[in-house]
Amino acid sequence: MQDRQIILTRLIAAPAAKVWQCWTDPAILPRWFGPEGYSCVTKEIDLQQGGLWRFDMIGPDGKIWANRHRYTLFDPLKRLEFLLDGDDDSAPPMEVVVVLEAEADSTRITQTMTFPSVEMCQGALAFGADRLGQTTLAKLEAAAQKL
């Protein structure tokens, strides 16, 4: 399975409660989510287990990517899981697991993205998903520190 995964980790200088709030507050999540230079326009948002977030991610060049997160697990302050796709059922979704672990006054976040195929994972890596994902986590840290 490792050849189908991208794993991002970062020590965020904010407590787990603030990091969790950034993931689960519908007013906050769209403001930080996505790589540096990208923005999100929400179509529908229900941040809870069994809920979903439908949005367009807009790149710095104006390109638009439809997204849908279907939340399958909320374990407050510890873990959330969701299925990620292009806001339709034309292809199998990516599985995303986000784990938060308190470390003193900080939070270690580990985000594991499991792609349906090796080819899809390789395509994401070729696009720079690992590097872009780190900029997303930096935006998360900045958002959590402002709370």
Side-chain angles (χ1 to χ4, degrees):
M1 178 148 12
Q2 289 178 333
D3 57 349
R4 295 190 300 123
Q5 291 182 325
I6 296 174
I7 300 173
L8 304 173
T9 187
R10 182 181 182 97
L11 185 62
I12 294 178
K18 290 184 177 186
V19 176
W20 182 259
Q21 184 180 357
C22 288
W23 276 102
T24 59
D25 185 323
I28 298 172
L29 177 61
R31 291 197 317 244
W32 68 263
F33 191 83
E36 188 64 41
Y38 290 68
S39 62
C40 297
V41 176
T42 297
K43 299 175 189 173
E44 177 181 358
I45 193 164
D46 180 15
L47 299 177
Q48 64 179 332
Q49 188 167 312
L52 59 79
W53 180 30
R54 295 178 53 244
F55 62 98
D56 287 335
M57 184 171 290
I58 303 167
D61 61 357
K63 184 172 179 175
I64 298 172
W65 290 273
N67 280 262
R68 177 175 62 179
H69 293 182
R70 291 176 285 160
Y71 295 97
T72 57
L73 178 72
F74 268 53
D75 185 0
L77 305 179
K78 296 178 186 172
R79 182 183 184 108
L80 64 91
E81 299 180 7
F82 58 92
L83 302 174
L84 166 62
D85 59 39
D87 200 16
D88 62 32
D89 298 319
S90 64
M94 181 188 341
E95 297 173 13
V96 182
V97 176
V98 178
V99 176
L100 307 179
E101 297 173 292
E103 289 188 20
D105 293 336
S106 297
T107 306
R108 167 106 22 221
I109 185 168
T110 303
Q111 181 173 320
T112 303
M113 298 166 283
T114 304
F115 292 80
S117 69
V118 172
E119 295 76 21
M120 287 180 73
C121 184
Q122 289 173 343
L125 287 168
F127 183 73
D130 50 345
R131 177 184 50 78
L132 293 170
Q134 288 296 339
T135 70
T136 299
L137 295 182
K139 288 171 60 180
L140 167 59
E141 181 170 29
Q145 290 174 341
K146 288 180 184 175
L147 294 178

